[in-house]
Each structure stands twice: as C-alpha cells, then as structure tokens.
Amino acid sequence: MNFRKTLAGVTILLALTTSVFAKAKKADKNSGKIKIVTTIFPQYDWTREIIGDTNSANLTLLIGNGTDLHSYQPSIQDIAKISTADIFIYVGGESDGWVKDALKNAKNKNMTVINLLEVLGDNVKEEQIVEGMQAEEEEEHHHDEDEDHDHEHHEADEHHHHHDDEDEPEYDEHVWLSLRNAKEICAAICDALCKKDSANAASYKVNLTAYTSKLDALDAKYTVTVKAASKKTILFGDRFPFRYLTDDYNLKYYAAFVGCSAETEASFETVIFLAKKVDELGLNSVLKIESGDGKLARTIINSSANKNAAILTLDSMQSVTTKQAASDTTYLSVMENNLKVLEQALK
C-alpha cells in the first residue's frame, strides 16, 4: 500500500515536473525570439518579409496609431520597448531627434541599431527648394537668393532646406519611397537578422532574394510606365515627400512645400505659381499626400484654367496603422497603388 502511495506520489511529482519544464521551455522559446522594434511601417513590412514563416522574432511597429512620423513623440511604453530590443530600426532624419536619448539608457547593450540614412550613405539627398516652393517662414531668409532662379532637379543640389544652423544640412528622410533604396535597406536588415540568429540565416537569405525580385519587378514597371507617359512632371498641392521616387525615374515636380514642412497655408504667390504651372504644362491633376485634406489642391485647381482637374493621392506611408499592417496592407501593395496613381497623373 505504501509502495503504491509512493509510486503515485512519484508519478504526480514527475507529471508536475514535466509540466513545469514544458512551461519553462515554452517561455524560454518565446523569450528566445529576436525582439525587433521598427518606427514606421515600411521598415516593419520589410522585416516581416525577410523573417517569413520562421516564427523567429517578435516584431513591433512603434508608430502604429496613425500618428505622422513628423509629429510623433515616444511614450514611456515605447521607450521601454526600444530599451530591450535586439534590433531597433529607425529612419535617422530630423524627425527622429528623440532616438539618441531613447538609446542612451537602453537595457540591451548588445542591441543592433539600424539607421536608414546611415545605411544609404551618399544616396541620401538634402532637402531641396524647387521653383515656386514655399519655404517655412522661419527659414525664408536662407532662400531669398534662390527664389530668383529656376531650380532644375538634375543639376547639383545647390539650393537646400537647412536647419537653423546653416552649416548643418537637413536631409530628406523619406528614403523608403524609393524601391531602389528599399533593396539596399532590406539587405542591411537581413544581415542584422543573420548575425542575431544564425540558425535561421539561410531562410532569411532565401526570403530576401525572393523579396528583392519583387522590388526589382515593380521598379521595372515604374520605369516602363514613366517612359510611356506623355507627361514627365507632377504637381503637388501639398508637402512633397516623393523626391526619391521622382529622381529614380527622372520625373520633374512642383510642390507647395518641402516634405518635412509643418506649413499648411500657402501664400497667394505659391497658389498662383502652381496654378499657372497646371495650365502651362496641361496637367489634368494636382496631387496630395494621404494625410492632406485636399483644400490647397482644390484652390490651385480653381485658380487654374482647368477647373475639372482631378485631385489624386499618393501614399507616403508615414502614418500606416498597426491595424492596416495586420490586414492586407504591404509596402509593395502601397507602391503598386502609387504607380496606378502616378500613371493617371502623367496622362
């Protein structure tokens, strides 16, 4: 009888021990995943594509509530997420001025930090004031001389948007809107993943190759579409974050404001200049970005001869939500849709 009790007790103990070990193993497996934090959607989606179905990482989209990149300020919870990340990916432009302090006291001293502007190096462009573009009020004195000249896109970058410190250039941080930049950044993300998780390195590389092919295919579609288009200029009644895209395909552009501008009200001179360009170039549309209300675009159209011009929207992916990221929204799907809009704008 005692033997049976003892045997039963051992059996129960073994069962409990097995259960504890199983739970510990499961917890260890979960904690063993690479923790990756990305600030904006394009980085999130690129990383998601490279991870694929390996189930090797916990991936977080930090700015996922619809807040625009330029107005985002991290919460205490956001700082905590970054602090323990194995890989942290951010843009690295002026809008990310908060990152330096966030990383200063990070708990994970072995964190790999990927700054997109650093990855791209010399391919990063300085912000540029083109003809007719309205500089931000506090910076207009930097551009008085520039406004008397025609600013050609393919000349050297001789007219730029600057910080308050004139020696410190302000870089155009919207690097993700170039499919060619995306390729280079994805390679850097894959390299970081392979170093953190060598067990899945082969899968990451296979996934990168497959995704790179998709980026190349869409890049080729853009090239063909632009080459076949009757017009080679677009006009934005909004801020303009698409310089990398237009430069990739040798398109010209006119816009009300630079990509990082906080201005929303355009001067009479800016409106009239852009309205005249609509007429001069025979444009059938004025564009805006996804967060724009379209009021300025409508004012430009109403001030032009072509009152029937359409207002079209190009998506700069600066405020994609976590909910959208969890649905069918991908970097490629947005860029595919942008191509359709661009094709319409160039007719």
Side-chain angles (χ1 to χ4, degrees), residues 222 225 233-236 242 245 251 284-289 310-315 333-347:
Y222 266 88
T225 298
T233 304
I234 55 176
L235 188 144
F236 265 73
F242 290 95
L245 186 148
L251 288 170
N284 294 313
S285 63
V286 173
L287 292 101
K288 68 178 189 68
I289 62 173
I311 298 175
L312 303 178
T313 302
L314 278 182
D315 192 338
S333 71
V334 175
M335 291 298 283
E336 283 271 11
N337 192 60
N338 280 344
L339 177 57
K340 292 174 185 175
V341 174
L342 188 63
E343 183 176 19
Q344 189 177 346
L346 294 174
K347 284 182 179 177

Side-chain angles (χ1 to χ4, degrees), residues 117-145:
L117 299 195
E118 288 182 358
V119 169
L120 294 170
D122 292 341
N123 289 331
V124 176
K125 304 171 189 290
E126 291 180 31
E127 278 208 332
Q128 186 180 44
I129 300 291
V130 299
E131 183 187 12
M133 186 180 279
Q134 186 171 308
E136 291 190 81
E137 288 180 15
E138 68 273 20
E139 296 172 331
E140 282 180 350
H141 64 277
H142 294 318
H143 307 292
D144 290 340
E145 295 178 11

